[in-house]
């Protein structure tokens, strides 16, 4: 039996519900206390973090968590990350924090790192997609921290996009996907990092990086030297359900190129990369560094879609630090 077979979420029902979503009023606010009131009342709220915007619900409120899956049209077998505002909440979510998890938490919380640990019995199975484990993260983003403090409970939150679309890095991108489907959008600035957190599974002897992010493998190995990187084999895939799903895709076709001269435009084309180019594209973004590239990528994908671009050429980067996460997202987008 697959873990998700234990759940009674029926996504045919979700699709049907979606037709009613647009009758829902979505409140836009910059006030974290006002946004948190919706969480306390069993609602769902999009909020900024330093990585991407998340769509949150009280982790212990099963009905509220279900609303997240419906609003995003998210497959039921993809588990959610629980966000804490304060370290004492970790004990509410997990019955066992082993040494590797402890060390990673001490080194990187608050920040763009998620640790996967054994879940506590209090966490409803819908939040973990039927798994006995749970991902936990403590954002360092100021507004997110004020929001989580006001919620007074850990908040499960996937990225606040319709499943399969690029994660939102601005509140406007959240609005584009989820207006009429969520109770509230907490409006902050564009997110600093622009790619999702690094996810490390700490439930086995060898900690396994399931998803690269802003905390690089080099930094993780400084804290847990035996950490391995997810290689996508069958055994590892079982612990990383989210990696099976299509992700981060603009409507346009994504092509990875070594440099701009390799990008030969057909139809309306765009280029994003580190190198200036004199070739003609309908949209061009030259980024000053890999960090700036990461910060802009998902917003650029969305701008290209609004612009009816057919092909987006993305320049490859060296797989170091944020470069590894950037290449991971580019490959996933190019797979589509
Ligand atoms: O930066 C982020 O992580 C953002 C912000 C909002 O915090 N959240 C985010 O959530 O990217 P989401 O749901 O889009 O991606 C969560 C990833 C998925 O690949 C999922 O499979 C994995 O984390 N994940 C969550 N819980 C897990 C668990 N218990 N075991 C293995 N993988 C897990
Ligand atoms: Mg996501």
């Amino acid at each position: 039996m697959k873990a998700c077979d234990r759940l009674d979420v029926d996504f045919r029902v979700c699709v049907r519900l979606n037709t009613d979503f647009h009758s829902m009023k979505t409140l836009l606010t910059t006030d974290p206390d006002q946004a948190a009131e919706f969480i306390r009342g069993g609602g769902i709220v999009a909020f900024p973090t330093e990585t991407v915007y998340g769509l949150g619900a009280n982790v212990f409120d099963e009905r509220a968590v279900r609303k997240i899956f419906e609003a995003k049209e998210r497959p039921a077998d993809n588990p959610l990350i629980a966000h804490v505002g304060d370290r004492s909440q970790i004990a509410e979510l997990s019955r066992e924090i082993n040494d590797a998890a402890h060390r990673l938490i001490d080194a990187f919380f608050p920040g763009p790192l998620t640790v996967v640990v054994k879940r506590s019995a209090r966490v409803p199975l819908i939040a973990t997609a039927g798994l006995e484990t749970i991902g936990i993260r403590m954002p360092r983003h100021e507004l997110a921290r004020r929001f989580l403090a006001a919620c007074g409970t850990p908040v499960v939150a996937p990225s606040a996009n319709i499943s399969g679309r690029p994660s939102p890095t601005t509140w406007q991108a959240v609005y584009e996907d989820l207006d009429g489907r969520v109770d509230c959008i907490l409006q902050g600035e564009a997110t600093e990092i622009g790619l999702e957190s690094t996810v490390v599974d700490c439930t086995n002897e060898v900690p396994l990086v399931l998803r690269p992010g802003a905390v690089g493998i080099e930094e993780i190995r400084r804290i847990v030297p035996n950490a391995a990187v997810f290689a996508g084999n069958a055994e590892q895939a079982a612990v990383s359900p989210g990696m099976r799903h299509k992700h981060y895709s603009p409507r346009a076709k994504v092509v990875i190129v070594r440099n701009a001269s390799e990008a030969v435009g057909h139809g309306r084309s765009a280029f994003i990369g580190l190198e200036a180019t004199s070739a003609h594209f309908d949209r061009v973004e030259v980024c000053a560094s890999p960090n700036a590239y990461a910060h802009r990528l998902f917003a650029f994908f969305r701008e290209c879609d609004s612009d009816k671009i057919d092909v987006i050429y993305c320049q490859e980067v060296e797989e170091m630090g944020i470069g590894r996460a950037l290449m991971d997202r580019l490959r996933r987008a190019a797979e589509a």
Side-chain angles (χ1 to χ4, degrees):
M1 190 170 86
K2 286 205 314 248
C4 62
D5 291 340
R6 295 156 69 183
L7 302 171
D8 62 345
V9 179
D10 181 344
F11 281 90
R12 281 161 307 182
V13 174
C14 297
V15 170
R16 198 170 64 232
L17 281 174
N18 283 343
T19 56
D20 298 332
F21 276 138
H22 292 276
S23 56
M24 189 167 172
K25 173 105 186 79
T26 298
L27 179 87
L28 301 180
T29 181
T30 56
D31 177 359
D33 296 315
Q34 193 181 17
E37 261 174 49
F38 286 99
I39 297 287
R40 291 198 300 269
I44 55 176
V45 174
F47 63 98
T49 79
E50 68 274 24
T51 56
V52 299
Y53 276 71
L55 175 60
N58 175 355
V59 61
F60 302 118
D61 182 340
E62 201 172 323
R63 280 190 53 201
V65 177
R66 189 176 298 264
K67 290 182 195 168
I68 292 180
F69 283 89
E70 291 169 355
K72 278 187 56 104
E73 301 172 33
R74 182 174 175 103
D77 65 353
N78 198 357
L80 306 180
I81 294 171
H83 296 66
V84 298
D86 154 347
R87 280 182 200 218
S88 67
Q89 289 176 332
I90 295 172
E92 298 175 37
L93 297 166
S94 174
R95 58 191 147 92
E96 186 188 307
I97 302 286
N98 61 17
D99 185 51
H102 258 302
R103 291 208 303 249
L104 290 171
I105 288 169
D106 282 345
F108 300 113
F109 277 25
L113 179 92
T114 297
V115 292
V116 173
V117 293
K118 296 210 168 108
R119 78 174 172 98
S120 87
R122 272 191 74 195
V123 174
L125 278 173
I126 185 172
T128 66
L131 297 175
E132 288 305 325
T133 59
I134 183 161
I136 305 178
R137 150 162 146 75
M138 181 194 262
R140 67 172 179 230
H141 188 277
E142 180 58 30
L143 190 56
R145 291 171 64 86
R146 284 168 52 206
F147 167 69
L148 290 169
C151 290
T153 174
V155 168
V156 270
S159 50
N161 50 287
I162 298 279
S163 278
R165 298 218 62 208
S167 295
T169 55
T170 62
W171 72 259
Q172 291 89 341
V174 177
Y175 184 81
E176 183 180 286
D177 278 15
L178 298 180
D179 179 40
R181 294 176 176 234
V182 302
D183 294 293
C184 175
I185 298 174
L186 177 59
Q187 300 165 289
E189 305 283 310
T191 63
E192 172 203 335
I193 295 168
L195 303 179
E196 307 83 350
S197 63
T198 307
V199 178
V200 186
D201 181 1
C202 295
T203 59
N204 296 299
E205 207 143 300
V206 176
L208 184 63
V209 178
L210 297 179
R211 180 175 72 183
V215 178
I217 181 75
E218 306 84 357
E219 289 171 87
I220 287 173
R221 286 209 174 117
R222 237 173 272 139
I223 307 298
V224 282
N226 63 337
V229 179
F230 179 74
N233 60 43
E235 192 189 331
Q236 292 184 348
V239 299
S240 184
M243 302 312 240
R244 286 197 299 267
H245 297 290
K246 198 179 132 196
H247 267 96
Y248 322 114
S249 321
R251 290 184 195 97
K253 181 177 163 59
V254 171
V255 177
I256 302 172
V257 292
R258 237 167 310 162
N259 50 53
S261 62
E262 257 184 38
V264 207
H266 297 288
R268 286 176 65 74
S269 63
F271 174 81
I272 183 166
L274 298 173
E275 206 174 75
T277 168
S278 55
H280 173 78
F281 296 100
D282 296 284
R283 194 177 258 279
V284 174
E285 178 106 11
V286 179
C287 309
S289 64
N291 283 328
Y293 192 168
H295 170 77
R296 278 290 295 147
L297 181 71
F298 289 151
F300 187 75
F301 279 173
R302 284 174 179 266
E303 288 160 18
C304 288
D305 279 347
S306 315
D307 235 14
K308 307 267 186 294
I309 297 289
D310 300 301
V311 188
I312 308 173
Y313 294 98
C314 300
Q315 188 177 19
E316 65 180 27
V317 297
E318 211 184 326
E319 300 215 31
M320 277 179 55
I322 192 82
R324 187 188 284 263
L326 197 46
M327 287 307 295
D328 170 77
R329 304 313 188 270
L330 291 179
R331 287 196 193 100
R332 282 168 197 287
E335 253 171 39

